[in-house]
Amino acid sequence: MAQLSQHKTTKKIGVLNLQGAVSEHLNALTNIANVLAVAVKDAVQLADLDGLVIPGGESTAISRLINQNNLTLVIKQMALQGKGIFGTCAGLVLCGSSTPQNEVEQLKLIDISVERNGFGRQINSFETTLDIAPIGKQIPAIFIRAPYIVKAGDQVKQLAFVDNHCVMAQQDNVLVCSFHPELTSDNRIIQYFVNCCCS
Ligand code: GLN
């Protein structure tokens, strides 16, 4: 019995390794128990995952590279299969369904409309703490050229707000946030995402 209760399934979580905060997410995932974190950039690597992080960076660049690497359908397929997808900052833009300016080809994994750079430019970057009902209180959040969610469909749970702008949301197995949880030592958000990944 003791042996049985010690047995835990390892979840394999990929970080999309095209551009942006890849190593930061890999480091953050390394601190979560029972996770194998891997950098992924092709369809074969993606097919083998329990969950995928689409990191922050530059959404226009990541979008172009997703196209060049023919990953759009593979990522959509993962989401349809119920695998966990976590888009942070630029990753939130990419997971979204529309932006007013239409300058990024989005994956449409979650029914949100996104204002890119909604909180302003690099110089307007800021840090705050958030209370996120299903996760915890006083969670540190770093915003860098951050987007926000301007509209969310009925299926979407809006989880956190800054100045009345939605900055974190979830639709079933797809989680997005405007900020960078991987840049803080508080791993509650990353742990929440890992819990959403089936294995
Ligand atoms: N503003 C960037 C974009 O739209 C995102 C910035 C970030 O990921 N820190 O791509």
Side-chain angles (χ1 to χ4, degrees):
M1 282 308 275
Q3 243 180 348
L4 256 187
S5 61
Q6 274 165 20
H7 178 80
K8 296 243 172 67
T9 318
T10 299
K11 292 178 181 176
K12 191 169 181 183
I13 310 290
V15 180
L16 192 62
N17 181 22
L18 299 175
Q19 192 269 333
V22 178
S23 57
E24 291 84 348
H25 268 291
L26 289 170
N27 283 339
L29 284 163
T30 307
N31 294 321
I32 309 288
N34 306 308
V35 165
L36 173 64
V38 287
V40 292
K41 60 161 62 163
D42 67 40
V44 175
Q45 294 168 326
L46 278 152
D48 192 32
L49 300 174
D50 299 306
L52 176 70
V53 175
I54 305 181
E58 183 52 50
S59 54
T60 49
I62 300 174
S63 155
R64 203 173 49 243
L65 292 165
I66 286 174
N67 274 332
Q68 277 174 19
N69 291 283
N70 293 319
L71 297 180
T72 305
L73 285 180
V74 188
I75 297 173
K76 281 177 180 281
Q77 190 66 32
M78 278 187 76
L80 281 175
Q81 286 168 344
K83 295 188 174 176
I85 310 273
F86 186 18
T88 61
C89 202
L92 172 146
V93 176
L94 290 160
C95 289
S97 295
S98 61
T99 62
Q101 291 81 24
N102 245 350
E103 67 279 81
V104 179
E105 201 170 313
Q106 292 168 292
L107 296 162
K108 300 182 172 40
L109 307 182
I110 177 167
D111 185 12
I112 56 171
S113 179
V114 180
E115 182 75 42
R116 282 187 68 215
N117 305 316
F119 286 109
R121 301 164 66 86
Q122 189 84 19
I123 195 165
N124 306 117
S125 298
F126 63 96
E127 190 168 348
T128 187
T129 55
L130 300 171
D131 293 346
I132 307 171
I135 304 178
K137 286 188 185 293
Q138 294 285 302
I139 299 178
I142 297 174
F143 292 76
I144 304 168
R145 289 186 301 127
Y148 55 67
I149 296 166
V150 283
K151 220 168 91 202
D154 293 344
Q155 316 280 339
V156 176
K157 285 187 214 140
Q158 301 187 54
L159 299 179
F161 293 83
V162 169
D163 297 339
N164 288 325
H165 298 301
C166 179
V167 295
M168 184 165 192
Q170 179 170 11
Q171 184 173 353
D172 303 320
N173 50 314
V174 180
L175 181 69
V176 292
C177 68
S178 295
F179 48 93
H180 288 264
E182 79 286 4
L183 297 183
T184 74
S185 56
D186 188 314
N187 61 19
R188 284 177 288 175
I189 291 179
I190 312 267
Q191 178 71 67
Y192 178 78
F193 166 62
V194 169
N195 295 346
C196 295
C197 296
C198 41
S199 63

